[in-house]
Amino acid sequence: MSLPPYPTGPEQGGSHGRPPVPPMPTQGPMPTQPAYQQQFGGPQPQPTFSPPPKPARTQGMTWWQYLMVGVAALLAIALPASIVIYYTANARLIADRQSVADYTPSDNISSLVERADLNDVGTFIFYTSHPELNTANEFNTACGIRPEQFLLGCYTGETIHLYDVTEERLDGLREVTAAHEMLHAAFDRLDKKSQDHLGELLEKAYEEHGDDPELADRMDAYAASQPGTRITELHSIVGTEFADLDPELEAYYKRYFNDRSIVVGLHASYMKVFTDLEQQTTDLSNQILALADEIESDTNTFNADQNQLNADIDAFIAKNQAYGYSGDPAGFDADKAALIARDSELDARRTAINDKTTRLGDLQQQLRDLDADAQALNRSIDSTIVPGEGI
């Protein structure tokens, strides 16, 4: 497969705006401090998740890095020192190139790249981590998920694991998670100076979204479960979820995306499924509460009026039995007609209350259906509660 170019610095650009690829060493003097080393420091694997907490990580260099260091030592016998320096300084780059060369993405993985609209650099970095779409059991094992955790992806420092969510209504979730984890791998390859500068820009972007309580809760959860990962998490969250960014940040993320608004749009689309469901639940709950209050008020008034009618009927009967209406048939008929009218009116009110009670039952069933729907959505993205799978 053809290899996309690897980034050599935040400001450099080759043809079509893509960062040029440092050439493999040839005869002649080699740079003692390549641009790649200036902008992308040595490997600093820090397992990161979407969302937290931290999985087990593999320490140190890969077998290929050890091999390259060994080769560099042997070449020092016959080659100029500058070539040895080049190999040593670019061990991560060389290992990344070999990693991508050794990886053949599945059609599903390639589809994620296309739909997230990763550019050549973003694709290259994504493929260095040999991304996998995992079943619940595979994902839980690879990422060390515990039952109380709720994660969609993890980056171990060497591999990206994505939980294979297949719920059709959540279309785009896998692509956003893939881009999120790719950005962890990208952040891993930045030098300390670049990371610190990005940290300032990312904190500013976070402050501009300070009115989002769910985002604040997420960051608090990261702080509790993964101390020290705040900036790399913001780096992934801001890059895949925030629509409007500072121009410098927007320019930075162009290193990895052809059009970042596509992945942001995918995130907004599947999040709307949850927010719409939540809004429907809130609206329905409010209707139920209002109708229940109305039924209670109507019932209390009805009962009071019914008691009063019963008392008035008893009084009418007692008056009639005491010959109170003797010589006054018109009065008898008028009082009797009034009582009958009141009884008919109460009967109509009783029917209305019963209709409202039936309506309340229908709304309560709709709320139960919405709750079941919400639970089904949550189960579809929670690898720890899939029947028959998980740790």
Side-chain angles (χ1 to χ4, degrees), residues 17-348:
R18 298 172 179 171
V21 181
M24 295 299 289
T26 57
Q27 295 296 329
M30 301 302 295
T32 59
Q33 188 178 21
Y36 168 80
Q37 185 186 21
Q38 298 169 19
Q39 298 302 329
F40 293 82
Q44 304 171 5
Q46 295 183 354
T48 47
F49 300 94
S50 171
K54 187 175 184 179
R57 54 175 283 186
T58 302
Q59 300 283 350
M61 294 187 293
T62 64
W63 67 269
W64 179 255
Q65 289 172 299
Y66 280 114
L67 177 60
M68 291 311 302
V69 171
V71 170
L74 292 175
L75 289 176
I77 300 174
L79 298 178
S82 59
I83 295 180
V84 176
I85 293 173
Y86 179 86
Y87 271 104
T88 303
N90 287 277
R92 183 67 176 268
L93 171 60
I94 295 169
D96 281 347
R97 284 189 173 279
Q98 185 60 46
S99 182
V100 174
D102 291 341
Y103 178 67
T104 301
S106 67
D107 291 342
N108 286 338
I109 292 294
S110 297
S111 176
L112 298 181
V113 168
E114 294 173 4
R115 292 200 65 205
D117 206 25
L118 302 183
N119 62 16
D120 287 348
V121 173
T123 301
F124 182 87
I125 292 177
F126 187 51
Y127 286 170
T128 62
S129 298
H130 292 199
E132 301 177 2
L133 276 171
N134 298 142
T135 63
N137 189 53
E138 293 168 342
F139 180 73
N140 293 341
T141 300
C143 297
I145 308 301
R146 298 185 299 274
E148 69 273 14
Q149 294 177 316
F150 188 78
L151 309 176
L152 296 171
C154 75
Y155 167 60
T156 67
E158 291 185 350
T159 307
I160 287 174
H161 297 276
L162 308 170
Y163 180 38
D164 191 10
V165 177
T166 57
E167 168 60 57
E168 293 182 357
R169 288 175 295 173
L170 301 182
D171 179 54
L173 185 147
R174 296 187 306 177
E175 288 78 3
V176 174
T177 305
H180 180 110
E181 301 303 336
M182 177 277 292
L183 287 174
H184 281 316
F187 189 82
D188 222 14
R189 285 159 172 76
L190 297 175
D191 62 24
K192 183 65 165 56
K193 181 178 179 181
S194 298
Q195 290 179 348
D196 290 344
H197 179 60
L198 268 177
E200 297 174 1
L201 299 177
L202 293 167
E203 288 289 2
K204 180 180 177 181
Y206 173 75
E207 291 173 3
E208 292 174 354
H209 288 72
D211 58 347
D212 184 347
E214 292 185 2
L215 176 60
D217 289 344
R218 285 173 69 186
M219 298 315 299
D220 288 344
Y222 283 126
S225 62
Q226 288 181 271
T229 64
R230 176 181 176 85
I231 299 305
T232 184
E233 292 299 342
L234 280 178
H235 179 260
S236 290
I237 292 170
V238 170
T240 57
E241 301 178 21
F242 288 16
D244 300 315
L245 297 179
D246 174 275
E248 185 176 357
L249 263 183
E250 199 67 73
Y252 164 76
Y253 282 116
K254 286 183 179 179
R255 298 183 186 184
Y256 313 114
F257 299 94
N258 291 313
D259 182 358
R260 193 181 66 86
S261 69
I262 291 178
V263 75
V264 173
L266 289 173
H267 173 262
S269 178
Y270 71 75
M271 285 302 297
K272 189 175 185 297
V273 176
F274 289 99
T275 56
D276 285 353
L277 189 58
E278 182 179 1
Q279 187 62 53
Q280 291 177 50
T281 301
T282 299
D283 292 344
L284 196 53
S285 297
N286 290 337
Q287 291 181 53
I288 289 172
L289 291 174
L291 185 56
D293 288 343
E294 188 177 333
I295 291 173
E296 181 180 12
S297 177
D298 290 351
T299 300
N300 290 337
T301 302
F302 173 86
N303 289 336
D305 291 347
Q306 181 68 69
N307 290 336
Q308 185 60 54
L309 175 61
N310 291 339
D312 291 346
I313 290 173
D314 290 342
F316 172 78
I317 293 172
K319 180 179 179 180
N320 184 52
Q321 289 176 344
Y323 303 101
Y325 289 104
S326 294
D328 185 17
F332 175 86
D333 290 340
D335 288 350
K336 179 180 179 181
L339 292 172
I340 292 173
R342 288 168 62 188
D343 184 63
S344 296
E345 189 267 341
L346 281 173
D347 190 56

